[in-house]
Amino acid sequence: MRKSLFGAVVLTLMAATAQTDEGRLGIELNKFEPADGGGCRAFFLFRNQTDNSFEEFEMSLAILDSDGVIDRLLSIDAAPLPVQRTVLKLFEIPEIECSNISEVLLHDLPACKPQNAEPLDCFPLLALGSKTSANLAQ
């Protein structure tokens, strides 16, 4: 009886987790590595679980140093983001070592436009995460 109840609870939690990602645009800061010539290369995974392909998707990021102070602002263009696909994008963060980045703050989305549609406020669609030592936040 206990095993059945435990199994049902685990399946319910797994289903709830899967449902929370449906309809979301996941952005994961997956990896940092030193860039050629200095700086840091950031690997982002975009998991588009929405019903839209995005022809425009621009992010404005604030890069915080190891003291939590804004080091620089960086604009990156991640488009296109096809519907129901995971896409890998690499971006260079110049003049700062990866180990000196404590947080990447997504503070604005200057462009978020689904294909053949009007631009939208994409912040409610986002699910952010990081597998690096730096937090990815909004």
Side-chain angles (χ1 to χ4, degrees), residues 30-52:
N30 184 269
K31 178 181 168 182
F32 281 148
E33 72 178 23
D36 299 334
C40 183
R41 182 174 297 120
F43 293 74
F44 283 86
L45 290 177
F46 294 86
R47 291 185 171 92
N48 185 0
Q49 299 301 313
T50 71
D51 292 329
N52 296 303

Side-chain angles (χ1 to χ4, degrees), residues 41-97:
R41 182 174 297 120
F43 293 74
F44 283 86
L45 290 177
F46 294 86
R47 291 185 171 92
N48 185 0
Q49 299 301 313
T50 71
D51 292 329
N52 296 303
S53 288
F54 292 92
E55 62 184 29
E56 293 180 21
F57 194 82
E58 184 180 337
M59 301 187 306
S60 181
L61 305 173
I63 310 300
L64 283 67
D65 67 15
S66 56
D67 294 324
V69 176
I70 295 172
D71 180 75
R72 73 192 64 240
L73 297 176
L74 184 66
S75 288
I76 58 176
D77 185 0
L81 297 175
V83 67
Q84 300 297 318
R85 293 257 325 269
T86 298
V87 177
L88 169 66
K89 302 278 183 167
L90 285 66
F91 301 102
E92 303 289 327
I93 305 171
E95 302 172 6
I96 188 170
E97 292 182 24

